[in-house]
């Protein structure tokens, strides 16, 4: 068992001033977060974030700036590891290559794998902290909003 789980996430704002979020279900747990995921051994943070966006959203991104790094203890919801999350603001270098949904947790019916996800845009002024599941995402969003006032 690993003691630390390093995660990297991207806050993507489109030209309509909407933020991209991910609704996911895994191990019978549903949650909403920013796109991203786990750092793999031998990978840097930026490369991991670019890989995650390509895997999850089928889009190449540019990393613009660091937003937030976890500064409190956060235990994983799925195992006994401590989560360390790093957030960056990103922009797409091409159109996003996946279907964007309108409703939360709007999963495709034929998708019956261990992890299912869907993506949607929310107006940055409409995204509330209660829309996000994890404490780290909430802290990153608060930091992002303060940086962009």
């Amino acid at each position: 068992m690993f003691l630390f789980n390093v995660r990297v996430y991207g806050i993507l704002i489109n030209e309509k001033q909407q933020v991209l979020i991910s609704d996911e279900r895994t191990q019978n747990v549903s949650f909403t977060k920013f796109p991203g995921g786990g750092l793999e051994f031998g990978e840097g943070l930026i490369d991991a974030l670019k890989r995650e966006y390509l895997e999850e959203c089928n889009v190449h991104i540019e990393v613009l700036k660091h937003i937030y790094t976890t500064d409190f203890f956060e235990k994983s919801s799925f195992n006994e590891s401590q989560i360390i999350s790093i957030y960056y603001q990103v922009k797409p270098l091409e159109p996003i290559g996946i279907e964007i949904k309108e409703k939360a947790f709007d999963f495709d019916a034929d998708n019956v794998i261990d992890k299912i996800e869907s993506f949607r845009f929310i107006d940055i002024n409409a995204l509330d902290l209660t829309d996000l599941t994890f404490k780290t995402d909430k802290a990153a969003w608060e930091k992002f909003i303060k940086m962009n006032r």
Side-chain angles (χ1 to χ4, degrees), residues 12 20-23 35 52-59 94-101 108 117-121:
L12 184 149
L20 184 65
I21 58 173
S22 171
D23 297 308
E52 286 287 343
Y53 258 84
L54 193 56
E55 288 176 1
E56 292 183 1
C57 302
N58 194 25
V59 66
E94 60 201 358
I96 295 174
I98 56 167
E99 181 181 3
I100 301 297
K101 305 289 184 142
D108 293 334
E117 59 191 343
S118 62
F119 297 87
R120 59 193 164 105
F121 278 108

Side-chain angles (χ1 to χ4, degrees), residues 4 21 24 32-33 44 53 80 91 104 109 112 124 131 138 146:
F4 294 97
I21 58 173
E24 299 183 22
T32 300
K33 65 178 193 60
Y53 258 84
E80 295 302 314
K91 75 172 189 178
V112 288
I124 62 170
D131 294 323
K138 294 175 189 217
K146 286 179 185 174

Side-chain angles (χ1 to χ4, degrees), residues 50-112:
K50 288 178 178 182
R51 175 187 50 77
E52 286 287 343
Y53 258 84
L54 193 56
E55 288 176 1
E56 292 183 1
C57 302
N58 194 25
V59 66
H60 291 91
I61 59 164
E62 178 183 343
V63 176
L64 301 176
K65 64 182 174 181
H66 174 262
I67 300 296
Y68 177 74
T69 299
T70 308
D71 57 3
F72 54 86
F73 173 75
E74 180 79 3
K75 183 189 169 297
S76 172
S77 299
F78 303 100
N79 58 46
E80 295 302 314
S81 66
Q82 178 176 345
I83 301 292
I84 299 170
S85 297
I86 300 95
Y87 294 81
Y88 292 94
Q89 183 176 355
V90 303
K91 75 172 189 178
L93 297 176
E94 60 201 358
I96 295 174
I98 56 167
E99 181 181 3
I100 301 297
K101 305 289 184 142
E102 297 289 325
K103 299 183 307 184
F105 301 101
D106 185 8
F107 303 124
D108 293 334
D110 61 343
N111 191 350
V112 288

